[in-house]
Amino acid sequence: MDCIFCKIAKNEIDATVIYEDNEVVAFDDLHPQAPQHKLIIPRKHITTLNDLTTEDESLVGHIYTVAKQLAAELGIDESGYRVVMNCNAGAGQTVFHIHAHLLGGRAMTWPPG
Ligand code: AMP
Ligand code: ZN
């Protein structure tokens, strides 16, 4: 499958990996939208949030646990951060392998654009 995030997970293409375990990989976003902008992906290929099954519940929970751990390590846990997953093109999804954006280090506005 020609999936750029599967390739990052398999270490077939370069990324600045900041955390990995058996289930997930976290790395710097190539085009950061905040002073801290990391992506957390499952190693398992899941195309969009619409493709999640109940089997994936613990995996998605783990992504959030890793996000809060990284936020603490990056020093943005107290100032505030956002964890976002875009689903499908209308929401801004451009890479079709689910990923959580971890954004912080600046004030965020609401609602998002
Ligand atoms: P989304 O628009 O929600 O699908 O997010 C995809 C994100 O992946 C964007 O923020 C891109 O900047 C980022 N991205 C795309 N290719 C790479 C890559 N090779 N390494 C790191 N980040 C990437
Ligand atoms: Zn993939």
Side-chain angles (χ1 to χ4, degrees):
M1 189 187 302
D2 195 27
C3 170
I4 195 162
F5 285 180
C6 280
K7 287 180 180 165
I8 288 175
K10 290 182 202 152
N11 207 20
E12 290 174 2
I13 62 166
D14 283 343
T16 305
V17 173
I18 58 161
Y19 174 85
E20 61 184 319
D21 62 28
N22 287 338
E23 302 298 324
V24 304
V25 181
F27 53 92
D28 288 352
D29 194 292
L30 206 53
H31 304 290
Q33 301 301 313
Q36 298 292 352
H37 187 175
K38 313 296 178 186
L39 298 175
I40 306 160
I41 66 168
R43 289 189 185 277
K44 174 183 176 182
H45 181 90
I46 301 170
T47 306
T48 79
L49 268 181
N50 290 337
D51 302 300
L52 277 186
T53 70
T54 52
E55 274 180 21
D56 302 316
E57 284 175 354
S58 64
L59 179 57
V60 173
H62 185 54
I63 287 172
Y64 272 88
T65 307
V66 169
K68 75 120 197 187
Q69 186 182 312
L70 293 178
E73 287 170 14
L74 295 166
I76 55 173
D77 52 337
E78 294 302 327
S79 55
Y81 60 94
R82 192 169 282 171
V83 180
V84 184
M85 208 180 276
N86 298 322
C87 181
N88 273 336
Q93 186 175 5
T94 57
V95 178
F96 287 82
H97 174 134
I98 64 165
H99 48 280
H101 295 259
L102 169 63
L103 299 137
R106 65 167 169 81
M108 306 268 164
T109 58
W110 192 262

